[in-house]
Amino acid sequence: MKITDISPAMFARASRVEAGLRDRFAEIDAVAQENTLRVMAAFQEQRVTEGCFAGTTGYGYDDMGRETLDKVYAQVFGAEAALVRIGFVNGTHTISAALFAALKPGDTLLSVTGAPYDTMRTVIGIAGDEYGSLKFYGIGYDEVSLTAAGEPDYEAISRRVGETHPAAVLIQRSRGYEERKALSIDEIGEIVRRVKAASPETVVVVDNCYGEFTETREPTHVGADIVAGSLIKNPGGGVAPMGGYLAGRQELIDRAANRLTTPGIGGECGASLGNNRLLFQGLFLAPHTVAQALKTAVFCAALFTDLGFETYPAPLDPRDDIVQMVKLKTPENLCKFCKGIQEGSPVDSFVVPEPWQMPGYDCDVIMAAGAFISGSSIELSADGPMREPYIAYVQGGLTYESGKLGILLAASEMMDN
C-alpha cells in the first residue's frame, strides 16, 4: 500500500479525530515554546559562533565546537557539566558510562523503577554473562518493583535505600517494552528527594531516553546527579547522525569521560569529524521536533482508540516520553501495523518488516523504521516484541503531517486485511 492509497473514508475519520485534539496540541506547542526559549538562551549565553561548526580530526584537541556544545547542554539541562560525543554508540552506551561513573567494585546498584530495559540487563549482568558487565566487576544489583499501577513505590524506595545505602540508584524514565507509564519530572523529583533523605551520598542516575523536552524541565533540574540519553532520539532533533550525551555533576561527568576514552585522557580528546554543526542544529530543532513526535503519538492514540483498540497513554493523558503503546492483540495485527508504518516512511517504504531475534532481547522483535538516520527513534518508527498482548511501541515523527500519514497507513493495512 502507498501513501496515495489511503482512502477518503480514512482521511475523514482522521479529520474527525483531530477535531478533538486541538487543545491538547496547543498544550504541546506551549511546552515547545518554553523549551525553545531555554535552548536559545543557552546558545546565546555560550556564544555559539560559526567557528563552532568546524570539525577536527586525529586526537581532536582544542575542539571549540565540542567544548562549547558541552557547555550549551549543561546549561539547557541545568547541570554543572555535560559530555556530548559522537563516540557514544547508543543510549545504552551513555547509561552504561553513567553507571560506571557512579559505581566501583563492591558497590551496589539499586533500580527503583523495576527491571530495566532489556539491553541494560546485559550491561548490569542480570541477563547473560558478558565480559565487562557491572556484575563482572563485582558490582551488586537490587531492585524495587513498581506498584501494581506501574508507578513508583515511594515508601518501598525510602525503606530500601535507608536499609541498604546503595552507591547509586537507577531511574528509567521511559517505559521500555513494559506496560507501565513514563515518569513525570515531578515523580522523578519525588524519588530523588526520598533517596537523598534516606542516603545523601547515593548517586541518582536517570535514563532519560525518549523523555527530553516532553516537559519544561529535565531530571537534573529536580536533583538527579547525572542523566543520559541518545542523540538519535529526542535531543538530536532528527539531524544528529550519531552520538549520545551525559549531563550532571562535574565529578561524575569527568569519571564518565574516563570510561568513554581512558583515564588521563577523559574528555580532552575525540575528534568531531565535521559533525558539530549537525549536533548544534539538532539541539536547536529538538523542542519543535519533539512536539511533532508528541502530536503524532496523540493522534495515533486517538485514532486507534476510535478503531476500538486499547492505547496507552490515552489521547488526552499527560506525556512524559514520546512513546505510544497500542495493544494490537494478535501477532498478525502487530505485523500489519508495522508494515503500514514502514510504508509510510520516506526511506525504504517498499521494505516489509519481519520479526527477528535481536541481540539483547529474549524473544523475536519486529521493527519498522524508514529513517534518514539509521535507528533514529525521533523519526517515525514502530516496534514490539512478538509476545502477548502484542503491543506496538510507536515513537517519533519529524513532522506531524508525515507522522499522521504513517499512522493512517498502519490503520489502513489492518482494516483492509
Side-chain angles (χ1 to χ4, degrees), residues 78-311:
E80 291 179 0
L83 185 72
V84 188
R85 294 293 183 275
I86 60 175
F88 284 121
V89 301
N90 54 25
T92 300
H93 188 185
T94 62
I95 303 160
S96 175
L99 292 177
F100 276 103
L103 296 157
K104 61 183 185 301
D107 285 344
T108 296
L109 170 67
L110 175 67
S111 172
V112 295
T113 47
Y117 188 71
D118 299 60
T119 54
M120 286 306 302
R121 298 174 195 178
T122 307
V123 171
I124 294 167
I126 53 178
D129 191 22
E130 293 290 332
Y131 183 96
S133 68
L134 294 181
K135 180 181 177 181
F136 175 88
Y137 286 108
I139 297 169
Y141 174 77
D142 195 8
E143 67 184 48
V144 175
S145 298
L146 297 167
T147 67
E151 298 175 346
D153 190 335
Y154 297 117
E155 295 303 322
I157 291 170
S158 293
R159 184 168 57 253
R160 188 74 60 84
V161 171
E163 291 170 352
T164 63
H165 297 279
V169 301
L170 173 64
I171 300 171
Q172 181 179 293
R173 183 174 181 179
S174 190
R175 66 197 75 242
Y177 283 153
E178 302 291 338
E179 291 186 64
R180 52 154 280 200
K181 69 187 292 294
L183 299 186
S184 69
I185 293 298
D186 284 341
E187 288 170 319
I188 293 172
E190 179 61 14
I191 294 174
V192 172
R193 187 187 70 78
R194 286 176 176 265
V195 168
K196 295 297 185 180
S199 181
E201 299 305 313
T202 296
V203 175
V204 178
V205 180
V206 179
D207 167 3
N208 205 29
C209 289
Y210 302 103
E212 299 92 347
F213 301 117
T214 58
E215 296 190 57
T216 57
R217 298 173 296 166
E218 299 298 331
T220 32
H221 289 119
V222 293
D225 293 296
I226 187 168
V227 298
S230 166
L231 298 188
I232 61 170
K233 296 183 174 69
N234 301 20
V239 298
M242 67 195 88
Y245 78 92
L246 296 167
R249 286 170 32 203
Q250 182 73 61
E251 179 186 20
L252 295 171
I253 295 301
D254 290 343
R255 292 179 189 173
N258 283 345
R259 179 70 186 183
L260 174 64
T261 60
T262 191
I265 299 297
E268 296 299 317
C269 283
S272 54
L273 303 175
N275 289 291
N276 283 337
R277 180 182 62 79
L278 293 173
L279 304 190
F280 277 103
Q281 191 172 15
L283 179 61
F284 170 76
L285 292 170
H288 175 75
T289 306
V290 169
Q292 301 303 291
L294 288 174
K295 289 179 181 179
T296 299
V298 168
F299 174 75
C300 178
L303 180 68
F304 276 85
T305 297
D306 189 63
L307 291 169
F309 290 91
E310 184 179 347
T311 64

Side-chain angles (χ1 to χ4, degrees), residues 292-366:
Q292 301 303 291
L294 288 174
K295 289 179 181 179
T296 299
V298 168
F299 174 75
C300 178
L303 180 68
F304 276 85
T305 297
D306 189 63
L307 291 169
F309 290 91
E310 184 179 347
T311 64
Y312 189 78
L316 302 183
D317 283 351
R319 300 269 163 171
D320 302 301
D321 68 0
I322 63 169
V323 182
Q324 176 62 49
M325 296 166 55
V326 183
K327 193 174 292 187
L328 294 169
K329 305 176 185 177
T330 70
E332 293 79 15
N333 278 345
L334 179 54
C335 289
K336 291 170 186 174
F337 183 98
C338 289
K339 183 173 184 285
I341 293 293
Q342 189 72 40
E343 290 168 342
S345 302
V347 180
D348 290 332
S349 61
F350 52 88
V351 173
V352 178
E354 294 287 348
W356 65 298
Q357 182 61 60
M358 287 184 63
Y361 297 89
D362 61 3
C363 68
D364 284 359
V365 175
I366 187 168

